Amino acid sequence: MEAEAYCLNTYATASKLVAGGKIGAEASLNKIFWSEMDLKMHETGLALLGHRAELMPEAPAAGDVGTWLDGFLFSLAGPIYAGTNEIQRNVIAERVLGMPRK
């Protein structure tokens, strides 16, 4: 479901840009969708790989594990960099939904 939300939001943003619009506060939605989906995707990949996921790709027992561990470690930063997701949620509440500040 998160992937579909991310996809639809990306299409909406691209359509707005093609029509001559500019990216506004709704870009915060895209950042949250992407960073949380990326983290869940890597967690799922590591769960499927089991203990091999903890190995570096060049380790003899790694097999075809690839760079999932590196991807997972980088995905942990996603909800933090480019404005934490909590700050992005505040932007969405105030600027997209028009909710008052506390």
Side-chain angles (χ1 to χ4, degrees):
M1 188 157 88
E2 288 91 357
E4 187 69 16
Y6 173 68
C7 182
L8 292 172
N9 189 62
T10 301
Y11 284 145
T13 301
S15 296
K16 184 177 182 178
L17 290 172
V18 168
K22 295 184 179 185
I23 295 176
E26 67 276 1
S28 295
L29 291 163
N30 195 38
K31 194 274 182 182
I32 291 173
F33 287 143
W34 172 81
S35 63
E36 291 182 358
M37 182 187 65
D38 187 43
L39 183 56
K40 287 179 184 177
M41 179 186 71
H42 281 90
E43 287 172 343
T44 301
L46 294 183
L48 292 171
L49 290 168
H51 295 295
R52 289 185 315 129
E54 299 172 10
L55 300 173
M56 299 301 289
E58 58 274 2
D64 60 351
V65 72
T67 58
W68 279 95
L69 181 59
D70 288 340
F72 170 70
L73 294 174
F74 186 74
S75 75
L76 292 172
I80 299 169
Y81 67 74
T84 68
N85 284 2
E86 293 306 313
I87 291 173
Q88 298 302 325
R89 284 182 177 91
N90 287 339
V91 169
I92 293 165
E94 294 171 12
R95 298 182 193 165
V96 177
L97 300 176
M99 297 175 73
R101 285 186 145 179
K102 290 184 180 182

